[in-house]
Amino acid sequence: MKSVEQKISSGNVLEVKDLKTYFFTGRGVVKAVDGVSFELKEGETLGLVGESGCGKTITCLSILRLVPGPAGRIVGGEVILDGDDLLSKSEKAMRRIRGKKVSMILQDPMVSLNPVFTIGNQMAEPVRIHQKLSRRLVWEKVKEMLRLMSIPSPEIRIREYPHQMSGGMRQRVVGGIALSCQPRLLIADEPTTSLDVTIQAQYLRLLKEVQQKENLAMIMVTHDLGIVAKVCDRVAVMYAGKIVECGDVREIFYRPAHPYTKALLGSLPKMEERQEKLYTIEGQPPELHALPPGCSFAPRCPDVQEICKQEYPPQSIIKDGHCTSCWLFAARKA
Amino acid sequence: MWRYILKRLLQAVICILGVSVIVFVLARLTGDPALVMLGPGARLEDILALRQKWGLDLPMIVQYWRFISNAVHGDLGLSLRYHAPVMALWLGRLPNTLLLAGVSFAIATVAGVVGGVIAAVKPGSWFDRLGKTVSFLGISVPVFLTAIVLIIIFAVKLHWLPVYGTGTWRHLIMPAFTLAWASSAGQLRLTRSAMLDVLDAEYIKLARVKGVPEYKVIAKHALKNALIPIVTMAALQFMVLFSGTVIIEFIFAWPGIGWLAVEGARNRDFPVVQACALMTSVLFIAINLAVDMLYAYIDPRIRYQ
Ligand SMILES: Nc1ncnc2c1ncn2[C@@H]1O[C@H](COP(=O)(O)OP(=O)(O)OP(=O)(O)O)[C@@H](O)[C@H]1O
Ligand SMILES: [Mg+2]
């Protein structure tokens, strides 16, 4: 009984606690995800941002327990979906969750449809697996999803193959697949990077609409802060496998705390300025298999202190719901 | 789709014509058949008479025209030794070779594809390493050696299997196994690498994300994509295997086409050699055509070209 109460009282669809996913490679241990925590409420959108290689995709795949093996392994933490810890579930139980309670739109939609099966076949698959429907109803559902994703003439489209469709169409199909079983949580891993700008905006609007209608929790992975500003409620900034700052979109945009967040915002070209120079962050992101002790951002940080190179900063709360891990905000140890 | 089929058909016909020219010319390069037939002590009139009878005194182009127009009607001439139509001889031997090649091919393909898939699913496992060793040996040990070792062990020492001949399924075991081992090796390696490539693809990830059970991810989503190289390899292996029957049939005294061709060559029975070469080529071209059709069936991108 108690756990049920907790489920209701916390109101979180997803809680990720101290998640650690490492790759055990010949060159050493790559700590792709190293103690990531965040939570997500119904209807809420969390933006996960950070430079390439900081561990965004691996965080998402870890939630679904689909870390690329055999090198990759989840070595610690908890992933709690509606009060259930996914990391202690059997593989069979996980399969009933994938595509049903949690769906994901993969990073590259252009290649995420199988070239040798029809669109209809691929869209029907999750419906068939997760819902006990008759053949006819499965096809009805598929057509309904195509209509939901604003794809014209679904009757014709279901018999087509991926190569007969444009990139934007394919992306909608992938979105339709993800939404076909009324998931609780939708993970969108840079869903628009391979699309051109107008189609990108259309697609995001579509996703947002469906999300609001179904009250979905959503994780939007991106390195485009413009997208974050448009669709997210909260933002988690990731650097070298860790979340360095997390807070409401407004807080993060107007009162960024962590020097890395500031740098990211600084690298965003502003409309009003004449774009004579594009800001970039000095230096390279670190190699994850040989992280320096202390804060991983220290070598690139403009406000670096002695302690930053020795010890990782604890989390400090700046304001309700706005946290950062940086020595500038931590009570200095004696 | 129809354009694709028509194009392939046309290519096949051109290919057969080309082969017929080569076979025709080669058969004539081996020496004057009339001389061979009559032996060294023959009289000139006899030789000339025979040449005239067979049309060997006509210009090459006319001879070729006769050859090809007869061939179209299924007439490839008479065997010099058996005095029977070579087409009938070839067709008479075909079932034996098809049985041997077919059984070996089935074993090789099933073992190669299944083994390759398992190896790709668990790369680096003991099965993968075993598969690698077995296929390495299969590729590097020549078939005649395998055959002789098998004969010594299972026929001569253990008396479990007949040394040679045909008639029962027990006769089939050693020759079929010898051929299958050699050709399953290539299929295993190719299937493994094709599957490894495909299993890395984004659409495989999507299938897993959808909650598709793992066996279906492999057998449906991955295997169908790996099928193009697998089918190509299978066709190639069938042809290699078919040619391999020449040696194996000879070793195990298996009365098939391979043996017929070897006998024909030894007896300087040029119509037989010519027929074997031509008909085997036609068979191979037909297989290739079938494989092209199969590609279109497997991959919609080829179908909609
Ligand atoms: N199969 C693997 N083996 C070893 N290391 C890996 C593997 N997959 C990912 N990594 C490591 O994990 C880290 C995080 O990768 P991830 O794909 O999550 O980055 P990302 O933040 O999604 O970047 P991007 O914006 O480019 O998609 C990378 O630095 C990479 O080196
Ligand atoms: Mg990524």
Side-chain angles (χ1 to χ4, degrees):
Chain A
M1 257 2 258
K2 201 177 162 211
S3 70
V4 174
E5 269 164 41
Q6 270 177 349
K7 264 188 222 179
I8 293 163
S9 68
S10 77
N12 286 331
V13 174
L14 178 75
E15 287 174 36
V16 174
K17 290 181 190 163
D18 200 26
L19 181 67
K20 289 182 179 161
T21 304
Y22 295 174
F23 286 93
F24 298 87
T25 70
R27 295 198 306 160
V29 180
V30 176
K31 298 182 176 178
V33 179
D34 196 14
V36 162
S37 307
F38 59 85
E39 58 260 358
L40 204 56
K41 289 189 186 50
E42 238 174 27
E44 191 179 43
T45 305
L46 175 76
L48 196 57
V49 299
E51 282 167 297
S52 188
C54 69
K56 304 181 296 287
T57 298
I58 302 298
T59 304
C60 298
L61 289 175
S62 302
I63 294 170
L64 281 165
R65 297 237 321 257
L66 284 174
V67 179
R73 273 213 310 274
I74 300 173
V75 295
E78 286 171 80
V79 175
I80 296 166
L81 182 78
D82 284 329
D84 272 349
D85 186 7
L86 296 187
L87 298 191
S88 59
K89 285 207 180 303
S90 71
E91 179 54 32
K92 210 172 148 201
M94 272 318 287
R95 269 208 306 276
R96 283 199 292 268
I97 287 169
R98 290 179 199 135
K100 183 159 199 291
K101 291 187 89 175
V102 185
S103 318
M104 182 164 169
I105 297 174
L106 296 175
Q107 192 156 353
D108 195 347
M110 293 301 284
V111 292
S112 56
L113 288 171
N114 198 323
V116 300
F117 295 105
T118 58
I119 298 299
N121 182 321
Q122 297 186 61
M123 290 195 76
E125 223 171 3
V127 181
R128 237 180 252 136
I129 292 169
H130 299 297
Q131 288 164 289
K132 293 228 168 352
L133 292 177
S134 69
R135 258 182 89 81
R136 205 175 53 82
L137 286 178
V138 168
W139 288 106
E140 282 312 311
K141 179 86 200 171
V142 168
K143 285 183 213 161
E144 185 195 320
M145 288 325 291
L146 286 168
R147 273 190 287 269
L148 180 76
M149 297 311 283
S150 320
I151 295 177
S153 43
E155 291 79 14
I156 299 170
R157 290 301 185 182
I158 53 173
R159 261 175 269 124
E160 289 191 344
Y161 288 89
H163 74 274
Q164 293 169 287
M165 292 186 142
S166 69
M169 282 292 172
R170 273 187 247 182
Q171 182 62 318
R172 282 156 192 248
V173 169
V174 173
I177 289 174
L179 294 168
S180 61
C181 299
Q182 281 90 37
R184 292 277 289 156
L185 169 66
L186 175 66
I187 303 171
D189 188 1
E190 309 198 28
T192 56
T193 28
S194 53
L195 300 180
D196 68 60
V197 186
T198 33
I199 295 176
Q200 193 172 330
Q202 267 175 23
Y203 187 71
L204 287 175
R205 213 173 308 130
L206 196 63
L207 269 191
K208 200 66 195 164
E209 256 172 46
V210 177
Q211 187 212 1
Q212 273 157 2
K213 209 162 75 190
E214 317 236 337
N215 211 19
L216 276 179
M218 180 152 94
I219 299 177
M220 172 69 73
V221 174
T222 180
H223 44 229
D224 184 342
L225 289 167
I227 291 178
V228 171
K230 264 184 238 140
V231 302
C232 298
D233 304 306
R234 281 192 309 127
V235 190
V237 180
M238 234 180 139
Y239 189 81
K242 291 187 165 78
I243 290 182
V244 294
E245 183 165 5
C246 185
D248 284 351
V249 171
R250 285 213 180 74
E251 278 284 309
I252 298 286
F253 271 81
Y254 295 118
R255 278 179 292 280
H258 199 283
Y260 178 62
T261 312
K262 286 182 189 156
L264 267 187
L265 288 167
S267 68
L268 188 69
K270 295 201 178 65
M271 289 304 259
E272 52 280 13
E273 283 172 24
R274 257 187 284 145
Q275 293 183 9
E276 270 157 11
K277 85 172 192 220
L278 201 66
Y279 294 85
T280 48
I281 306 174
E282 290 280 308
Q284 288 289 312
E287 298 274 351
L288 293 183
H289 65 273
L291 284 181
C295 175
S296 325
F297 190 58
R300 299 165 76 185
C301 184
D303 304 315
V304 66
Q305 297 167 300
E306 210 34 58
I307 186 152
C308 299
K309 294 174 189 159
Q310 286 152 17
E311 211 177 317
Y312 193 77
Q315 200 180 55
S316 353
I317 295 169
I318 294 183
K319 209 183 140 186
D320 216 17
H322 184 180
C323 318
T324 188
S325 293
C326 178
W327 281 116
L328 291 176
F329 299 89
R332 204 83 37 96
K333 277 202 281 190
Chain B
M1 181 68 182
W2 287 109
R3 271 192 54 197
Y4 174 79
I5 295 178
L6 225 62
K7 215 166 112 188
R8 291 303 126 121
L9 264 173
L10 200 67
Q11 280 172 352
V13 170
I14 292 170
C15 223
I16 290 175
L17 280 178
V19 167
S20 72
V21 171
I22 295 170
V23 167
F24 176 82
V25 171
L26 280 183
R28 253 128 278 247
L29 284 180
T30 53
D32 188 337
L35 267 180
V36 174
M37 246 325 249
L38 296 172
R43 290 182 310 158
L44 187 63
E45 309 94 276
D46 289 341
I47 294 173
L48 289 179
L50 204 60
R51 278 192 184 164
Q52 197 171 21
K53 187 177 156 206
W54 287 340
L56 292 168
D57 50 349
L58 297 168
M60 274 295 214
I61 192 85
V62 179
Q63 283 191 45
Y64 175 73
W65 177 248
R66 279 190 175 186
F67 166 68
I68 197 75
S69 52
N70 286 338
V72 170
H73 295 104
D75 176 12
L76 288 171
L78 292 177
S79 157
L80 301 183
R81 190 178 168 88
Y82 302 105
H83 306 288
V86 288
M87 193 65 171
L89 283 177
W90 192 83
L91 286 174
R93 297 288 189 94
L94 183 64
N96 278 333
T97 298
L98 278 186
L99 177 68
L100 176 57
V103 169
S104 325
F105 176 70
I107 299 173
T109 305
V110 171
V113 171
V114 172
V117 168
I118 297 175
V121 169
K122 289 228 172 338
S125 63
W126 64 266
F127 184 90
D128 187 18
R129 283 194 298 252
L130 182 75
K132 228 176 239 173
T133 316
V134 171
S135 64
F136 177 73
L137 287 175
I139 287 173
S140 39
V141 177
V143 284
F144 69 85
L145 193 63
T146 315
I148 289 167
V149 170
L150 286 180
I151 288 174
I152 291 173
I153 298 175
F154 293 101
V156 179
K157 294 265 189 255
L158 295 171
H159 298 291
W160 288 355
L161 296 169
V163 179
Y164 61 83
T166 166
T168 68
W169 62 269
R170 291 172 70 242
H171 286 95
L172 193 58
I173 295 178
M174 285 196 294
F177 177 83
T178 309
L179 279 169
W181 187 27
S183 64
S184 70
Q187 185 60 273
L188 188 138
R189 290 175 151 211
L190 181 99
T191 303
R192 180 183 181 276
S193 76
M195 281 295 282
L196 275 178
D197 271 357
V198 170
L199 282 171
D200 243 5
E202 208 69 357
Y203 51 78
I204 295 300
K205 243 183 250 163
L206 183 68
R208 293 195 177 120
V209 165
K210 288 196 287 192
V212 176
E214 192 61 22
Y215 76 88
K216 231 178 152 183
V217 170
I218 305 220
K220 178 184 170 185
H221 287 270
L223 194 56
K224 192 162 181 204
N225 275 281
L227 226 44
I228 293 266
I230 289 174
V231 166
T232 310
M233 187 62 160
L236 199 72
Q237 290 294 3
F238 186 78
M239 292 184 259
V240 171
L241 207 146
F242 206 90
S243 323
T245 57
V246 173
I247 302 169
I248 291 298
E249 285 179 2
F250 195 68
I251 296 176
F252 290 99
W254 187 270
I257 292 166
W259 199 15
L260 181 69
V262 174
E263 273 180 341
R266 290 209 308 188
N267 298 329
R268 314 217 86 193
D269 195 346
F270 89 96
V272 166
V273 177
Q274 191 170 277
C276 284
L278 186 67
M279 291 310 291
T280 308
S281 308
V282 170
L283 187 72
F284 285 8
I285 291 166
I287 290 172
N288 270 312
L289 192 65
V291 166
D292 281 338
M293 302 293 123
L294 215 53
Y295 285 167
Y297 172 74
I298 295 167
D299 195 330
R301 284 164 296 187
I302 295 174
R303 213 178 313 156
Y304 286 90
Q305 248 172 17

